[in-house]
Amino acid sequence: QHFSRLNASGQGSNLKDILQNKIDDLEKQVLSRVNSLEEGKFGPRNESEERGKIESTLTSLHQRISDLEKGQKDNRPTDRFQLTFPLRTNYMYAKVKKSLPEMYAFSVCMWMKSSASPGMGTPFSYAVPGQANELVLIEWGNNPMEILINDKVAKLPFSINDGKWHHICVTWTTRDGVWEAYQDGMQAGSGENLAPYHPIKPQGVLVLGQEQDTLGGGFDATQAFVGELAHFNMWDRKLSPGEVYGLATCSSKALAGNVIAWAEGNIDVYGGATKWTFEACRQLN
C-alpha cells in the first residue's frame, strides 16, 4: 500500500530510494541464502527449492519496479536505461531478442561500471550452433579482459573495474583479423591475426551478463558479470576513431548500432537482473 500511495511524478527520487533500500535488503537475504547453500546446509532438493524461491522473489521485485517506473518510462527515450547485475550467479542475465547476421567486420560499444574482483565477468557472449564462443567479451579471474572470436583470443588493455562508469569499444575486421580497443573514447590498444578470415556466423544467441557453454545456456557463476551495463550497440562495420570519441563524450547525436541498437524493447531480463534509468555522460558533467 505504501508503494501505491507514492506519487510517481512528484516523488521520483524518493521512490527510487525506497526501491533501492528494498533491493539492498533483498540482496542481503539472497547472499545469506546462497552462503547457506554453499555451506551445504541444504540437500539437493532443498537447494533447488531455495534457488526457485530466490529467482521468483527477484523476478517479482523486478516486475514491481517495472510497474512503478512505468510512468517515468513513458516519458523517456527507450535507450535511456541500464541493466544491473548485483550478484555473481548462474541465473541472472539479459537476452537480446534478435540475432546477428553474418558479419565480416563489427564494432561493439557499451558503457559499463564494475568493481567486482577478481574479474568483472562476462559483459556479453554470442553463441552459435556448434560454437559457444563465437564472440565473447570476458574478464575472468585475474586475467585481463579478453575478446574471443571463434575461440581465438586477444587480450585487451582495459583498466575499468574501479567502480566508475567507462565507455569501451572493440572493432574488428576479418581481413587479417585486425582489432582495435578503445577506452573512454581513446584507443588503448590494437592488434591483428585475431580469427582472420572467419566471418561471424549468423543465427546465434546473444546474452548479456553470462558466458554461454551451450547455445543460450550452460552459465557458470564464476564467469558472470557483476556490475552495470548500458548502451550496448553493435555495428557490422569498423567505427572511426572520431565516431568512437563522439559516443564516449556524448558530443554528437547518439549513434545507434545498425545490427543491435540499445532499446528496452530489444532486451528481456531474467533471474532478477534489473533495469534503471540511465543518462549517458552524466558522470562527465
Side-chain angles (χ1 to χ4, degrees):
Q1 291 88 344
H2 182 61
F3 281 90
S4 63
R5 286 200 300 270
L6 283 169
N7 182 318
S9 61
Q11 300 188 37
S13 59
N14 187 26
L15 168 63
K16 188 160 184 176
D17 290 342
I18 292 169
L19 290 173
Q20 192 59 56
N21 288 337
K22 288 281 182 189
I23 287 176
D24 291 344
D25 290 343
L26 190 69
E27 282 177 22
K28 287 172 187 167
Q29 293 174 37
V30 170
L31 284 169
S32 172
R33 290 188 190 181
V34 169
N35 288 337
S36 297
L37 292 174
E38 288 174 347
E39 288 167 11
K41 293 180 182 174
F42 297 96
R45 182 178 297 173
N46 283 342
E47 183 172 338
S48 65
E49 285 176 10
E50 285 295 306
R51 171 62 53 76
K53 284 179 192 171
I54 291 168
E55 287 195 46
S56 64
T57 305
L58 287 167
T59 302
S60 65
L61 182 72
H62 171 236
Q63 187 58 52
R64 200 168 181 184
I65 291 168
S66 296
D67 293 343
L68 286 161
E69 278 207 321
K70 193 166 188 346
Q72 295 172 327
K73 284 180 182 175
D74 290 341
N75 298 321
R76 77 178 190 224
T78 60
D79 66 340
R80 288 191 185 170
F81 74 102
Q82 69 183 52
L83 298 177
T84 299
F85 303 91
L87 302 169
R88 207 180 283 281
T89 74
N90 63 355
Y91 54 83
M92 199 178 281
Y93 67 103
K95 186 176 174 183
V96 180
K97 290 182 181 178
K98 57 187 289 195
S99 185
L100 305 182
E102 185 172 67
M103 295 191 296
Y104 296 87
F106 71 77
S107 298
V108 59
C109 299
M110 70 204 80
W111 286 93
M112 64 170 64
K113 176 182 175 182
S114 179
S115 56
S117 180
M120 67 173 64
T122 309
F124 80 91
S125 64
Y126 175 67
V128 297
Q131 176 53 281
N133 295 326
E134 183 68 6
L135 178 56
V136 182
L137 184 68
I138 185 170
E139 185 184 74
W140 190 30
N142 292 309
N143 299 314
M145 186 165 277
E146 299 172 334
I147 185 95
L148 281 70
I149 298 175
N150 192 32
D151 258 333
K152 308 301 185 293
V153 181
K155 297 185 185 305
L156 305 177
F158 290 145
S159 178
I160 48 182
N161 64 340
D162 56 4
K164 298 176 182 177
W165 281 104
H166 291 282
H167 187 265
I168 68 161
C169 282
V170 179
T171 71
W172 172 87
T173 55
T174 185
R175 181 182 174 88
D176 296 325
V178 174
W179 61 268
E180 295 174 346
Y182 294 82
Q183 178 175 330
D184 298 325
M186 307 303 290
Q187 188 177 132
S190 62
E192 57 183 30
N193 206 33
L194 174 59
Y197 304 102
H198 170 84
I200 302 297
K201 293 177 183 174
Q203 306 305 314
V205 176
L206 180 56
V207 165
L208 305 178
Q210 294 282 355
E211 197 273 332
Q212 303 172 67
D213 285 335
T214 59
L215 190 65
F219 304 147
D220 178 346
T222 65
Q223 296 176 323
F225 175 72
V226 181
E228 297 164 76
L229 187 70
H231 286 250
F232 178 94
N233 284 276
M234 187 177 286
W235 295 259
D236 58 3
R237 64 180 178 87
K238 175 181 170 182
L239 294 184
S240 71
E243 286 174 318
V244 173
Y245 185 78
L247 286 167
T249 58
C250 301
S251 58
S252 58
K253 187 176 183 298
L255 189 66
N258 69 328
V259 174
I260 301 293
W262 186 249
E264 293 204 50
N266 292 345
I267 294 169
D268 289 328
V269 294
Y270 299 91
T274 55
K275 292 179 181 178
W276 290 102
T277 301
F278 174 79
E279 292 281 353
C281 293
R282 65 184 173 183
Q283 74 283 0
L284 299 178
N285 296 333

